[in-house]
Amino acid sequence: MQVLAKETGAPLAGLELIVNERRVGSGPEDRTRFAWEMTDAKGRLAHSVQAGEARELDVEPTDHAFGGRAHLEIPALAPGERREIVVELTT
């Protein structure tokens, strides 16, 4: 996953994020994974999801100076498949 500033497209380096993950179609109470993650110098972080199930991710900065969170729906991955996902956050 790469996290970028929505306004400029610049990578958001060293940003601490809360990532909530659940199956597509389940409610917020059915959270299956909750993690704190931090982006690297290029605004990237690695986040693994279970193969074979579509997932929803809510990505929210821990720094409330940023303008909200991003909601993503990730189609099911095949075993061993990797995808590059871009998240844009308002700065």
Side-chain angles (χ1 to χ4, degrees), residues 22-84:
R22 62 187 167 276
R23 291 185 318 260
V24 167
S26 62
E29 68 284 348
D30 187 29
R31 182 173 55 218
T32 58
R33 184 174 178 197
F34 175 81
W36 273 276
E37 312 254 4
M38 185 166 292
T39 60
D40 67 11
K42 294 182 180 179
R44 296 183 182 277
L45 63 89
H47 183 84
S48 299
V49 297
Q50 183 176 340
E53 283 187 1
R55 309 304 277 181
E56 292 183 35
L57 297 179
D58 289 318
V59 180
E60 182 175 1
T62 58
D63 182 346
H64 296 291
F66 288 86
R69 65 182 184 177
H71 178 82
L72 309 163
E73 289 196 15
I74 312 298
L77 278 76
E81 180 183 357
R82 295 177 62 111
R83 288 191 196 149
E84 178 70 23

